[in-house]
Amino acid sequence: MSKALQTRNKIISAAVQQIAGEDFFHRLRLERIAEKAGISEATIHYHFGTKDDFAKSVWQSVVDEREPYSLPKFYEEHKELLKDRAGQCKFIQLMLRNYRDFFRHGKSKSYRRLLRVFFLENMGFDNGRRKHVEQYFLGELLVFHRICKEISGLDDLYYSSMLFLFTMQPLAFAHVHLSGVRSLEKETRQPLSRHEKIIERHAENALMFHLGLLDDSMAAEIRMSEYYT
C-alpha cells in the first residue's frame, strides 16, 4: 500500500470516528479530524480537495463497508424465494438477519454508529441533509418497495416508506444501542441475544402482517409467545 493511500485511509478512519462520536446533529470538523489523524488540515485538502468532496469520500467508505449487507445485493441473491408464500416468509426472516449481521459484525463499531446517524439525518432531524446520502437511502427504499410489491401487490411508495421507517430503521438503532449496553444483561439477568431476538421478531411480525403473510389471530399468538419462549 502506497504512503498516500495509507494517509487517505488514516484520515477517513479519523473522520468516521469523529463523526460517529458526535451527537445526532453531527458536523464534519476538519480540525478535530486532523488532530486525531496527527496531520494538518492542509493535508486533508491536499488528499481530498474541498470539504464537500471529503464528506463524499467519508460517506463512500460507509457505503463500501455496508455493501456486502446492502438490500439491493440481498434482493438479487434471494429474489427466487419470492415466488411463493413459504419463500416470502423465509425471505423476510433472512432479510432481517442480514440487516442485523451488519450491526453485529466486529470490523468497525464506528461505521455502524455512523450509518445510524445518517439514518437519523435522512429522517429529517438534520437540516443539513446531503444529496448523495439521501440518494443512497432512496435506492435502499426503492428495493424495499419492490419487495413489498412482489409479496403483496402493494404499489404505494408512501405506505412502503412508512413500513420501512417503522420496522427496518428502528431495528438498526436497537442493534447499535444493544451492542453497547452490557449492563442490560445484569439488570435483566438475560443475555443480549434474547433481547435482539425479541426486537427481530417484532419487526418480522410487523412486516409479515402488513404484507398479508399473517392474519390477526396468528400475529396475536406470535406476540404472546415472544415473552414466554
Side-chain angles (χ1 to χ4, degrees):
M1 184 184 296
S2 67
K3 187 175 180 180
L5 185 55
Q6 287 179 337
T7 300
R8 285 177 63 90
N9 290 342
K10 186 178 180 180
I11 295 170
I12 291 289
S13 178
V16 168
Q17 292 177 46
Q18 185 262 310
I19 300 172
E22 295 290 324
D23 291 330
F24 297 156
F25 301 100
H26 62 279
R27 293 291 182 271
L28 196 67
R29 294 181 170 85
L30 296 186
E31 69 278 7
R32 293 190 185 181
I33 295 168
E35 182 180 356
K36 186 178 287 290
I39 58 171
S40 66
E41 287 187 47
T43 303
I44 296 178
H45 288 296
Y46 173 79
H47 284 278
F48 296 96
T50 66
K51 186 176 180 179
D52 186 56
D53 290 335
F54 180 43
K56 290 178 181 178
S57 296
V58 174
W59 171 245
Q60 187 58 49
S61 74
V62 178
V63 172
D64 293 343
E65 181 76 9
R66 176 169 160 70
E67 202 281 330
Y69 306 89
S70 70
L71 194 52
K73 184 175 187 298
F74 178 85
Y75 172 79
E76 288 300 322
E77 292 176 349
H78 297 85
K79 60 185 178 182
E80 291 300 312
L81 289 172
L82 295 173
K83 292 181 178 180
D84 57 58
R85 186 183 181 91
Q88 291 166 356
C89 292
K90 185 67 175 176
F91 182 95
I92 289 177
Q93 292 169 344
L94 292 176
M95 179 177 70
L96 294 176
R97 289 177 192 173
N98 178 69
Y99 210 66
R100 172 202 65 194
D101 287 346
F102 171 75
F103 293 96
R104 264 189 169 181
H105 84 99
K107 187 174 180 182
S108 175
K109 181 179 178 181
S110 294
Y111 275 109
R112 299 194 299 272
R113 190 175 192 280
L114 185 55
L115 187 68
R116 170 184 163 279
V117 170
F118 279 118
F119 267 143
L120 284 171
E121 177 180 272
N122 279 275
M123 285 167 60
F125 289 121
D126 189 344
N127 292 327
R129 293 167 66 176
R130 296 163 179 82
K131 197 160 190 65
H132 53 283
V133 178
E134 192 170 2
Q135 288 174 342
Y136 175 82
F137 285 113
L138 179 59
E140 291 257 324
L141 177 59
L142 289 175
V143 173
F144 183 81
H145 174 66
R146 182 174 182 177
I147 292 167
C148 293
K149 185 177 180 180
E150 289 189 29
I151 291 176
S152 66
L154 175 70
D155 197 16
D156 185 334
L157 182 58
Y158 178 79
Y159 187 89
S160 58
S161 298
M162 291 299 100
L163 198 53
F164 186 86
L165 178 64
F166 291 109
T167 54
M168 303 297 284
Q169 294 199 27
L171 190 62
F173 305 155
H175 282 309
V176 170
H177 282 304
L178 278 178
S179 66
V181 186
R182 303 322 265 169
S183 60
L184 189 62
E185 289 182 311
K186 295 180 180 179
E187 292 174 5
T188 62
R189 297 183 181 180
Q190 295 173 351
L192 288 180
S193 59
R194 187 176 188 281
H195 295 284
E196 289 185 327
K197 189 179 294 185
I198 291 173
I199 292 166
E200 287 173 32
R201 282 182 179 178
H202 175 75
E204 179 183 321
N205 293 344
L207 281 175
M208 287 190 178
F209 176 73
H210 286 285
L211 294 178
L213 297 175
L214 291 181
D215 59 29
D216 290 313
S217 59
M218 292 171 65
E221 285 182 18
I222 293 173
R223 282 198 294 271
M224 288 297 293
S225 69
E226 289 176 0
Y227 301 98
Y228 297 102
T229 59

